[in-house]
Amino acid sequence: MTETFISWGMDPNWAWGVATICGILLIALPLMLAVAMIIYADRKIWAAIALRRGPNVVGPFGLLQSFADGLKVFLQETIIPTSANRGLFLIAPIITFTVALLAWAVIPFNSGAVLADINVGLLYILAISSLGVYGVILSGWASNSKYPFFSAMRASAQMISYEVSIGFILIGIVLYADSFNMNEIVKAQIGHGFGLVNAFGFNLLLFPLAVMFLISSLAETARAPFDLTEAESELVAGYQTEYSSMSFALFWLGEYANVLLMCTLNAVLFWGGWLPPLNIDLIPWFDIPGVIWLFAKILFFFFVFSWVKATVPRYRYDQLMRLGWKVFLPISLIWIFLISGWLMLTRYAA
Amino acid sequence: MVDLTQYLPILIFLVIAVGLSSAFVFLPMGVARLTGAHKPEPAKLTEYECGFPAFEDARSQFDVRFYLVAILFIIFDLEAAFLFPWAVSLEEIGWAGWATMMIFLAELTLGLVYAWKKGALDWE
C-alpha cells in the first residue's frame, strides 16, 4: 500500500505512516463490524438449532439487531459501585478490548497482506492472548463483589491451564513449518497432503493436534461447553456482573473478537489460511482471492463454535481442569516427542 | 539482526486500540450525563447480591488450588518458552540437540507425574 501513496507523490516516510494507519483502520473497523454481525449469526444459529426464530425485528431478517443493542448500551448509564476500585474497574474493559484488537496485527489475510510481518508472529499471538487474563482478573478484583471475584478466579485458572496445552500444540506446528512467521507457516502448508491438499490438518501426526487445538480454543475463549466463568445458574453474569453500559459491551466485543481470532488461528495454523483447499488450478482463467478462502474457513469454524454452543451441555469445573492437565498436556508432550523424532528421522536425516 | 521497525505498526496499533477502547468507556459516561440517564443513588451503587445487603467481604479466602494451578502454569509455560527456539533450530543442532531436549522434557514429565500423584491436579 505504501507504493500507491508514493506514486501519488507523497514523501516515502509519510506514505508509510499513512499506509500503516490505513491498514490498522482496515483491520479494526471491519473487525468491529464483523463482531456485530457474528453476534447476530451466533444468536441466529443457536435459535435455528433450538427451533426458534432468533432476532427478526430490527432491520431485514433482524440484521441490525446488534447495532440496536450497541446503541442501547451506549446511551445507558455507567454504574460504578461505591465499593469498587474505580481506576482498575474502568481499566479492565479497556485492557480486554485492546488486547483483543492487537492480536490481529500479525494475521495474514492474503499472501503478504499482513500489518506487521514480524518473524515471531506466532510468539506474539501467544504473548498477546496471555495478556487477556489481566482484563478478566482485574475486572473481578476491582468489582469487589462476590460473584465477579469467583468468576475471575475460575476464568484465569481456566485460561492459563489451556494456554499451556495451546503452547505445546503450537510447537508441533512450528516444528513442521520451521518458522514463527505466520505467512511462512501458511506457505509451508502448500501441497502438504500428498502434494494435493493445502493443510497441515491432513497430516496424520498433526490431525490430533488440530482437534486438540479446536477444543482448547473453545476453552481459552470460555465458550460453551466451557463457559463456566459466566455460568448464570451459579455466578450471575460472571466477572461482568457489576458492569453496565459500554464497559459491559467492551467485554462482549472483546470476547467475540477473541472467538473470531481463535477461528482464524484454527484456519491459518491447521487448515491452510488464505490458501485454497486443493493445490490444483481448477479454474485456470480466474483465481479466487485468498482472503475469500480465509473468510470462508473462519466462518466455517465459527459455525462449529455456535453449533457446539447449542448442542453440548456445560462441563463441570473439575472435568474442565482434568481435560486440560491430565489429557491435553500429556498428549501434547508425547506429540512433541513424536513429531520432532519423525522430522529428525525423515526431513533432517543426513 | 532484528529490524525493530517491523514492530512500529504494532506500536501505532496499540495507541489506536487504547484510544478507541478508552473512548468506548468514557464517551458513554459523558453522553449519559447529557441525556440525563446518569442518576446514581446509594442502593443502585451497592455491589450485586440476591436482594439483601452483602454481609461479608467479597475478597475473602479462596481455594489454594488456584495458586497451585498458577505455579504449575509458570513451570510449563517456561518449558514451552524453552521449546520454541529449539523447534526452529532442529536442523542445525541435530540428534545431540534433539536428545538433550528430550531429556529435559522427560525431567519435566517427572514433575508432572509428581504433581499428578500428589493430587495437585485433582478438583474433587
Side-chain angles (χ1 to χ4, degrees), chain A residues 77 82 141 242 326 340, chain B residues 44-45 48 59 98 122-123:
Chain A
E77 172 189 9
T82 34
W141 177 259
E242 299 290 353
K326 293 188 174 176
S340 59
Chain B
K44 196 195 270 178
L45 295 182
Y48 178 85
R59 290 166 187 168
W98 182 80
D122 290 327
W123 295 69

Side-chain angles (χ1 to χ4, degrees), chain A residues 27 104 107-111 113-114 264 274 290-292 294-295 298:
Chain A
I27 292 176
W104 290 84
I107 297 287
F109 292 97
N110 203 340
S111 178
V114 47
T264 314
W274 41 264
V291 71
I292 302 273
L294 180 66
F295 285 174
I298 295 173

Side-chain angles (χ1 to χ4, degrees), chain B residues 72-110:
Chain B
L72 286 174
F73 163 72
I74 292 175
I75 297 170
F76 284 98
D77 218 36
L78 260 182
E79 184 185 355
F82 282 130
L83 279 167
F84 276 118
W86 167 82
V88 283
S89 50
L90 208 53
E91 192 171 3
E92 290 95 70
I93 55 181
W95 281 107
W98 182 80
T100 316
M101 191 48 94
M102 285 307 126
I103 293 168
F104 177 63
L105 270 187
E107 278 169 19
L108 274 149
T109 312
L110 275 182

